[in-house]
Amino acid sequence: MDIRRVTEAEAVQAAGHLFDAAPRSAPTQRFLGDDRHHLLIAYVDDHPAGMVTGVEMTHPDKGTEMFLYELGGDEAYRRRGIGRALVTALAGAARERGGDSMWGPVLADGRGVVTMSVGEKEVTSIRIRVHGRAGHASVPAGADNAVDHAATAVK
């Protein structure tokens, strides 16, 4: 497995099957044009097998954090540790850029918030905190969003 930070729209299009819907040209260009936006794709034998997107956010009392926006994978490559590797790589990117934590949205099925904390001394610790209610977030209730699987990916 090879995990690469994607910066070219062609690579996004080639990995389109990993997203909830086909990537659109203008939003793809805007996402890739902002260095605070991260798209990592895991390749197995040069085939896009999984992806994670993250957005750096800075808040006055929290500093810079990485928001895990979406985690997706090709069904044929599930249960091989790709999700865990992608989340760990995104946490590494957050740490390299001075971030001290990583977090995700409330899950669509109401199980809660996926929180990944980048630990001290260059060690990544991943913690899951569960709370919330269905539909509380930008993900519609019952949506088949790959972030729903993040808790499984980091166990």
Side-chain angles (χ1 to χ4, degrees):
M1 174 179 32
D2 179 31
I3 296 177
R4 304 175 204 157
R5 181 166 184 186
V6 172
T7 58
E8 300 295 327
E10 295 79 16
V12 176
Q13 292 301 321
H17 66 286
L18 301 173
F19 293 83
D20 292 334
R24 300 179 316 186
S25 180
T28 296
Q29 292 297 339
R30 185 173 177 191
F31 187 93
L32 296 175
D34 189 328
D35 72 344
R36 295 167 298 174
H37 296 176
H38 302 263
L39 170 56
L40 306 178
I41 297 180
Y43 294 88
V44 174
D45 298 326
D46 286 324
H47 177 78
M51 69 86 184
V52 67
T53 56
V55 178
E56 292 176 40
M57 303 170 81
T58 302
H59 193 271
D61 69 339
K62 294 174 183 59
T64 300
E65 300 177 309
M66 182 71 76
F67 171 63
L68 190 157
Y69 197 99
E70 187 171 353
L71 175 65
D74 187 320
E75 290 287 331
Y77 294 92
R78 292 188 111 188
R79 311 300 301 166
R80 297 186 189 186
I82 293 170
R84 175 188 290 273
L86 283 164
V87 170
T88 300
L90 187 63
R95 202 173 38 252
E96 287 171 9
R97 299 197 29 112
D100 57 5
S101 67
M102 194 164 90
W103 61 284
V106 173
L107 301 177
D109 67 0
R111 286 180 293 165
V113 175
V114 177
T115 302
M116 284 125 309
S117 298
V118 178
E120 298 177 351
K121 300 179 183 174
E122 302 292 318
V123 176
T124 302
S125 65
I126 300 173
R127 180 184 75 239
I128 304 295
R129 185 179 67 225
V130 180
H131 64 75
R133 58 181 167 72
H136 179 75
S138 61
V139 180
D144 183 23
N145 191 301
V147 173
D148 289 342
H149 305 290
T152 302
V154 297
K155 282 184 182 175

